Amino acid sequence: MISLRHAISCLLLAAATPASARYRVRLRTPLGIAFEEVEPGKACGVVVADLVDGGNAEHDGRIWVGDRLLSTSAVVLGGDSALLTVGGGRQFTNWKRELIPATAMGFDEIMAAIGSNSGRFGYVDCLLELARTDSSVPR
């Protein structure tokens, strides 16, 4: 569990990013991006650490090493009621894809959100909102 102070500092850092430095990219999966934590061990988002040679992100050309991930599309399971409840587990009748903020999430949560954009739910791409940082460099 993250503290309120930590969550607020992460959100303020993201809000301080000028709108002109933000951009959206829709990439086919696999993305071809290696991410790393902004602050190791803390739920404060991720930055682009590297691009896979010949990968979808490198071919696209808009993503730079050092860019910060602000939000990602993710498949959200839901509905007012579960199709089936067995024990403590539920099987949902529907899902939808949403753009979710990633600046106050941990590494594993972000990777799970990105990974949810899968063929299992009928998706072959992922929408990412990123921002340039002072350490962003083209590859």
Side-chain angles (χ1 to χ4, degrees), residues 29-85:
T29 55
L31 303 177
I33 303 173
F35 290 103
E36 68 183 7
E37 296 171 298
V38 171
E39 293 183 45
K42 295 185 178 179
C44 214
V46 296
V47 293
V48 175
D50 200 7
L51 301 178
V52 175
D53 291 333
N56 289 327
E58 184 184 60
H59 283 299
D60 181 270
R62 291 178 283 175
I63 297 176
W64 292 4
V65 172
D67 288 357
R68 180 153 190 204
L69 181 65
L70 301 177
S71 55
T72 180
S73 58
V75 174
V76 179
L77 303 175
D80 291 334
S81 62
L83 172 66
L84 177 67
T85 303

Side-chain angles (χ1 to χ4, degrees), residues 74-132:
V75 174
V76 179
L77 303 175
D80 291 334
S81 62
L83 172 66
L84 177 67
T85 303
V86 179
R90 299 183 335 165
Q91 203 173 23
F92 291 98
T93 59
N94 64 349
W95 59 85
K96 60 184 174 178
R97 190 157 78 160
E98 296 180 353
L99 197 60
I100 61 169
T103 56
M105 293 173 66
F107 183 84
D108 292 339
E109 293 170 296
I110 294 169
M111 295 305 106
I114 291 171
S116 71
N117 294 277
S118 70
R120 175 179 176 190
F121 298 106
Y123 300 106
V124 295
D125 62 4
C126 183
L127 178 63
L128 305 172
E129 182 180 15
L130 298 112
R132 299 276 190 253

